[in-house]
């Protein structure tokens, strides 16, 4: 693998590969963390809004039973 | 100009903004993927290698767009800081808050790829050259802003000091841009954004510009997603407060 990269990219292959690995890692991390945070916030907000709705109304929460 | 302010006013309603963001995000994400695909194809298979730098020129296609994005994001944060301090736009501080980590990530990417490019070309990963040092200061500015948002619990209270610090940091942007002209630096002078026109061949320029557009689209996509998330988190905080007040009563 290293020989193949050295053949294709020259003697500085390792620097090029590491650059693209950091590109994928940093941008991938940024995208993943954004989606995970959004999903978490959505889940918590839905749960809280349901709890808030049932605390305000006379209706019983299905979770209360 | 009048229409611009009217649009800003319309978007100040968080519910309306979230609804619009939900519609736009899939299109932006699709466009980002297409631009990255075309840009990376150009960078790897279409652009020729450099006669001096050889294949290491491929690092250019992520290093330069990351640097452009880092500067663009900070400038946008400066505009949002003005929005917070002068117009008190309800979304301006949210924009600042979500842009800081994205800008920090792009600056970090620029520094890492710069170091990896510097080693084979200059013989050193790092030198305390004016351009490198000013970009490192930009990274520290981003980190300070993120820290300030986290130190102050209430984001509405944090918005004012963060805006002032952001505006102070704007001084660094022209220093970064012109550092290669003002001082003798190891870093090469500007070769794309200059008055005489780009100094690099079109076969290497187009993938660079496409990658620049891809980074910009990614910034916009992540910004909209994170603004929605932050608005939800603020709503969660309010509901927690309401719950705590209800429990007290």
């Amino acid at each position: 693998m290293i020989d193949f990269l050295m053949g294709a990219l020259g003697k500085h292959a390792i620097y090029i590969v590491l650059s693209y690995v950091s590109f994928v890692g940093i941008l991938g991390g940024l995208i993943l963390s954004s989606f995970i945070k959004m999903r978490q916030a959505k889940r918590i907000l839905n749960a809280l809004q349901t709890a808030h709705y049932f605390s305000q109304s006379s209706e019983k929460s299905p979770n209360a039973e | 100009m009048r229409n611009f302010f009217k649009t800003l006013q319309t978007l100040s309603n968080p519910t309306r903004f979230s609804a619009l963001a939900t519609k736009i995000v899939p299109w932006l994400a699709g466009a980002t993927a297409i631009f990255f695909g075309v840009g990376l194809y150009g960078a790897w298979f279409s652009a020729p290698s450099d006669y001096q730098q050889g294949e290491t020129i491929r690092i250019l296609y992520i290093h330069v767009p990351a640097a452009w994005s880092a500067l663009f994001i900070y400038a946008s944060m400066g505009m949002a800081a003005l929005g917070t301090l002068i117009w008190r736009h309800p979304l301006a501080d949210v924009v600042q808050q979500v842009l800081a980590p994205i800008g920090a990530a792009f600056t970090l990417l620029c520094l890492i790829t710069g170091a990896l490019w510097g080693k084979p070309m200059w013989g050193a990963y790092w030198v305390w050259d004016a351009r490198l040092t000013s970009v490192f200061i930009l990274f520290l500015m981003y980190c300070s802003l993120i820290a300030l948002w986290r130190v102050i619990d209430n984001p509405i209270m944090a918005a004012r000091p963060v805006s002032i610090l952001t505006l102070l940091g704007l001084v660094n942007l022209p220093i970064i841009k012109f550092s290669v002209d003002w001082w003798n630096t190891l870093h090469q002078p500007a070769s794309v954004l200059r008055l005489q026109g780009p100094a690099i061949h079109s076969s290497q320029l187009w993938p660079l510009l496409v990658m620049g557009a891809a980074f910009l689209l990614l910034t916009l996509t992540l910004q909209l997603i994170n603004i929605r998330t932050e608005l939800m988190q603020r709503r969660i905080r309010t509901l927690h407060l309401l719950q705590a007040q209800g429990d007290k009563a």
Side-chain angles (χ1 to χ4, degrees), chain B residues 12 58 151 195 202 219 238 245-246:
Chain B
S12 65
R58 313 274 172 220
V151 163
L195 288 174
S202 58
T219 306
T238 312
Q245 279 169 353

Side-chain angles (χ1 to χ4, degrees), chain A:
Chain A
M1 179 75 178
I2 289 169
D3 286 342
F4 168 74
L5 283 172
M6 294 278 270
L9 297 172
K11 58 182 176 171
H12 300 309
I14 187 73
Y15 301 108
I16 303 167
V17 171
L18 281 178
S19 292
Y20 277 84
V21 167
S22 62
F23 162 70
V24 172
I26 291 175
L27 294 196
L30 207 56
I31 294 166
L32 265 182
S33 74
S34 295
F35 275 103
I36 291 170
K37 268 191 205 166
M38 187 182 70
R39 285 178 72 93
Q40 267 178 348
K42 249 185 196 171
R43 211 185 53 227
I44 297 170
L45 186 62
N46 279 341
L48 275 173
Q49 273 175 335
T50 314
H52 186 70
Y53 169 77
F54 282 112
S55 71
Q56 298 289 308
S57 72
S58 54
E59 221 178 303
K60 256 190 168 181
S61 159
N63 295 336
E65 286 167 16

Side-chain angles (χ1 to χ4, degrees), chain B residues 85-144:
Chain B
L85 292 174
I86 300 170
W87 300 293
R88 295 182 190 278
H89 194 282
L91 285 180
D93 62 309
V94 185
V95 170
Q96 281 188 78
Q97 194 179 1
V98 303
L99 278 179
I102 304 172
F106 285 163
T107 314
L108 182 66
L109 180 63
C110 171
L111 289 170
I112 291 174
T113 52
L116 289 166
W117 199 4
K119 181 66 179 163
M121 292 300 109
W122 302 337
Y125 286 108
W126 185 264
V127 280
W128 291 101
D129 159 282
R131 169 61 70 84
L132 275 70
T133 310
S134 52
V135 173
F136 183 61
I137 291 170
L138 178 70
F139 179 64
L140 293 181
M141 276 304 299
Y142 275 125
C143 292
S144 325

Side-chain angles (χ1 to χ4, degrees), chain B residues 9 29-30 33 88 100 117-118 149 165 168 170 177 182 189 201 243:
Chain B
Q9 209 175 359
R88 295 182 190 278
W117 199 4
W149 277 115
L165 188 62
L168 286 176
L170 279 179
K177 169 78 182 121
W182 292 342
H201 194 261
Q243 219 172 31

